[in-house]
Amino acid sequence: MPPLELIISAWQFDWAALAMISTFGVLYGLGIRAAGRNGQTWPLWRTLAFYLLGLGSLAVLTCGFSGVYSADLRWAFTLKVTLLLFVVPLLMGLGRPITLARAALSARGVETLNSVLSHRVVRFFSNSLAAPLIGLALFSTFLTPAFHTLRADPLAEILLTVCIPLLGLLMALPIIEEADFQRSSAYITLEFVFVFIELLADAVPGILLRLNGQVLDHVTTTQAVAGWFPDPLRDQQLAGDALWFICEIVDLPLIILMFIRFSRSDKREARGFDQLTDAQLDELNAQHLNRR
């Protein structure tokens, strides 16, 4: 394993990541200012969470040790990609960017935002029933020779740096910002069961990487730049450990968020029933009995 001082000191300029961080940071800052002009005060802790935890973790992963050595080390690349997909979006989501956008935009702007969010393409990627399959498909490529291409090709690195966090945001925001993606409690229950199964299935590629006795990307030579570099098989096993561990650990906060989302949806539906008159309740009961 690398020495601690190397992990701390390793640094690079990832221009794609820095451009994305700058864009997100400027847009979020403009949103806070616009929301203030509209008479809405944005919580300081959400601002700090977005900038320090969200954008800060994005910068560390892409410009720090995992970014510097991702082309040479399978486990560093795996650590970077999995955290960009699962952890960074959750941290950025604490800043509630969609809620901020609604507070900052005019009525026409909010209507445009709603139109974009309701588009079938956006809804497909933000659907909790479909998004986990995307992660499983991505991690399954780690079991093929494409694993080396994703690590070593500069264009692939740029695409992953930009697309993986965006994909993660589409997967996380429907759970975090439940006010913007309201569902019935029955639908959320179905989502919860499916997400629970699929999030566990995401760990399967990590298990296969860890337990396999041969190098799956067929790159059996290593360009070791230091004595602590592992051999290719050990590197693959460490990548499997990282993928397996992160996919299992990330289940817990996501499942907790799903429980919170279900609880709020159930309370919202209960309030709706409480507002019904006795005649309206009798009509609903009659309709239910007739369907049976």
Side-chain angles (χ1 to χ4, degrees), residues 72 74 148 151 213-224 230-236:
D72 301 313
R74 295 169 180 82
H148 178 260
R151 300 193 326 268
Q214 61 180 352
V215 179
L216 298 177
D217 63 10
H218 305 313
V219 181
T220 56
T221 59
T222 180
Q223 297 178 349
D231 62 74
L233 181 57
R234 180 56 180 161
D235 187 19
Q236 175 180 285

Side-chain angles (χ1 to χ4, degrees), residues 102-153:
R102 293 186 187 280
L105 294 172
S106 62
R108 184 175 180 180
V110 172
E111 183 179 349
T112 302
L113 176 62
N114 291 337
S115 177
V116 172
L117 293 176
S118 62
H119 192 277
R120 65 180 61 184
V121 175
V122 176
R123 299 297 287 182
F124 170 77
F125 284 102
S126 63
N127 191 327
S128 296
L129 300 179
L133 294 176
I134 300 173
L136 181 59
L138 172 64
F139 298 140
S140 295
T141 63
F142 293 5
L143 306 174
T144 70
F147 193 17
H148 178 260
T149 302
L150 293 175
R151 300 193 326 268
D153 186 85

Side-chain angles (χ1 to χ4, degrees), residues 186-200:
Y187 187 91
I188 294 175
T189 301
L190 179 62
E191 284 186 317
F192 172 79
V193 173
F194 190 84
V195 169
F196 180 81
I197 295 173
E198 289 301 326
L199 283 175
L200 293 178

Side-chain angles (χ1 to χ4, degrees), residues 31-108:
I32 294 175
R33 188 172 68 175
R37 288 200 300 264
N38 292 338
Q40 301 191 40
T41 302
W42 193 247
L44 176 61
W45 77 269
R46 292 202 180 279
T47 303
L48 295 177
F50 184 83
Y51 282 107
L52 298 181
L53 299 180
L55 297 185
S57 61
L58 178 57
V60 169
L61 288 172
T62 55
C63 299
F65 176 87
S66 60
V68 172
Y69 289 96
S70 63
D72 301 313
L73 293 171
R74 295 169 180 82
W75 70 265
F77 174 84
T78 302
L79 183 69
K80 181 178 77 170
V81 171
T82 51
L83 293 180
L84 286 178
L85 181 63
F86 287 132
V87 177
V88 170
L90 288 176
L91 297 177
M92 293 178 64
L94 294 176
R96 294 294 181 93
I98 292 179
T99 303
L100 176 60
R102 293 186 187 280
L105 294 172
S106 62
R108 184 175 180 180

Side-chain angles (χ1 to χ4, degrees), residues 150-194:
L150 293 175
R151 300 193 326 268
D153 186 85
L155 179 59
E157 180 183 8
I158 294 174
L159 290 176
L160 289 175
T161 299
V162 175
C163 295
I164 292 298
L166 294 177
L167 178 60
L169 287 172
L170 287 176
M171 295 169 60
L173 289 183
I175 302 176
I176 297 175
E177 304 210 36
E178 72 289 333
D180 297 305
F181 299 90
Q182 292 185 357
R183 305 290 194 200
S184 67
S185 57
Y187 187 91
I188 294 175
T189 301
L190 179 62
E191 284 186 317
F192 172 79
V193 173
F194 190 84

